[in-house]
Amino acid sequence: MAKIFNAIIVAIIVCCLKCSDGSVCISEDACNCQINANSRIDLKQISPNVLFDSDSSGNSFYFWGCRDGTQNITVNGTVKPFTGSLIWANATEGKPLGFSKEIRFNLHDEKEKFYEIVYKDGENVKASVHLVCTLEDTFIKILIANSTNPQLALGSPHACVITEKSGLSTGSVLLLIFFISFGAYFVGGILILYFMRGARGLETIPNVDFWRSLPGLVKDGIIFLFSGCSASSITTPETYDRI
Ligand SMILES: *[C@@H]1O[C@H](CO)[C@@H](O)[C@H](O)[C@H]1NC(C)=O
Ligand SMILES: *[C@@H]1O[C@H](CO)[C@@H](O)[C@H](O)[C@H]1NC(C)=O
Ligand SMILES: *[C@@H]1O[C@H](CO)[C@@H](O)[C@H](O)[C@H]1NC(C)=O
Ligand SMILES: *[C@@H]1O[C@H](CO)[C@@H](O)[C@H](O)[C@H]1NC(C)=O
């Protein structure tokens, strides 16, 4: 019986350690990643329109979120359609920097729990977009406008980590496990004593002597506490036995 209890306690501890490791965001698709059982990031509703930013050297970035969109851009005097999730252009050239199928979620800053999405072509990172949780505004901002590996920041309420309350808190789950184990201990113990030892009546209760003495022990404990911890106050048969 003790071995089963040990196994259950070890299982609970392992489970708790696993659940609290909530830093990595595992990509589920282009829009979603799962941090742990209760928290995730969902970029699906970022913006119905393309987000745009440009800098003083003439670099323009068009961001469609976690989907691919088509943008008509004037490059070198002619209007051209460009399709992608992140598109870069200047006055003479333009190209898609990344597609939605290349999006991966990353923990950018371990300490600050700062996430980013990167466009990955194999192991090669083509562009990074840092996720900045904002209250209202949705925007894209150029941090480093390099057409080979640019860094951008996406500010959006939809870039925040969503934390959902699960139906049961860890505490109540532990309590539930405790009571279930307790019930299993009694039922299992009674069955074993009844069928294997041939016990009948009260004798089928596992450790019946302990449970019988429990009210007395509790009473002793309380009297002991309230009498200023003096041993002479305890007057049950057990204390006489000890003396
Ligand atoms: C881009 O240009 C084409 C041809 O001029 C046009 O049919 C299309 O609707 C335009 N798309 C957008 C998103 O403006
Ligand atoms: C831009 O257009 C000019 C002529 O209009 C052409 O000579 C040049 O090669 C073009 N540049 C690019 C990068 O397409
Ligand atoms: C556009 O970008 C290309 C490649 O980075 C560069 O060679 C070109 O000079 C840029 N054109 C302008 C007008 O900045
Ligand atoms: C872009 O990045 C590459 C490599 O990361 C670097 O060699 C290059 O100088 C950068 N260009 C600009 C304009 O920052």
Side-chain angles (χ1 to χ4, degrees), residues 182-197:
F182 212 67
Y185 160 76
F186 269 107
V187 171
I190 286 170
L191 290 178
I192 287 170
L193 289 175
Y194 189 90
F195 287 109
M196 296 179 72
R197 302 255 174 90

Side-chain angles (χ1 to χ4, degrees), residues 57 88 90-93 147:
S57 359
W88 163 86
N90 67 10
T92 53
E93 284 177 47
S147 63

Side-chain angles (χ1 to χ4, degrees), residues 57-129:
S57 359
N59 293 294
S60 299
F61 288 87
Y62 302 83
F63 181 63
W64 286 99
C66 54
R67 65 206 160 99
D68 295 329
T70 301
Q71 185 70 29
N72 287 335
I73 306 169
T74 308
V75 285
N76 210 14
T78 53
V79 178
K80 274 191 182 170
F82 291 91
T83 300
S85 165
L86 183 65
I87 299 160
W88 163 86
N90 67 10
T92 53
E93 284 177 47
K95 65 173 179 187
L97 289 175
F99 300 95
S100 57
K101 66 176 192 314
E102 300 170 323
I103 291 177
R104 301 289 176 274
F105 287 81
N106 235 0
L107 185 63
H108 176 67
D109 188 327
E110 193 108 16
K111 243 162 94 197
E112 304 284 334
K113 294 269 185 285
F114 200 152
Y115 292 92
E116 65 177 0
I117 57 171
V118 294
Y119 295 89
K120 262 188 154 174
D121 180 12
E123 278 308 298
N124 178 34
V125 174
K126 302 198 291 182
S128 314
V129 179

Side-chain angles (χ1 to χ4, degrees), residues 89-180:
N90 67 10
T92 53
E93 284 177 47
K95 65 173 179 187
L97 289 175
F99 300 95
S100 57
K101 66 176 192 314
E102 300 170 323
I103 291 177
R104 301 289 176 274
F105 287 81
N106 235 0
L107 185 63
H108 176 67
D109 188 327
E110 193 108 16
K111 243 162 94 197
E112 304 284 334
K113 294 269 185 285
F114 200 152
Y115 292 92
E116 65 177 0
I117 57 171
V118 294
Y119 295 89
K120 262 188 154 174
D121 180 12
E123 278 308 298
N124 178 34
V125 174
K126 302 198 291 182
S128 314
V129 179
H130 304 254
L131 303 180
V132 181
C133 177
T134 57
L135 285 180
E136 286 174 23
D137 302 339
T138 294
F139 60 85
I140 192 94
K141 191 165 181 4
I142 298 169
L143 303 176
I144 302 169
N146 189 331
S147 63
T148 58
N149 181 13
Q151 311 274 316
L152 293 101
L154 166 71
S156 169
H158 298 292
C160 306
V161 173
I162 306 163
T163 307
E164 284 154 348
K165 286 237 169 191
S166 69
L168 287 173
S169 72
T170 314
S172 34
V173 169
L174 287 180
L175 217 62
L176 210 67
I177 290 172
F178 175 77
F179 279 115
I180 290 171

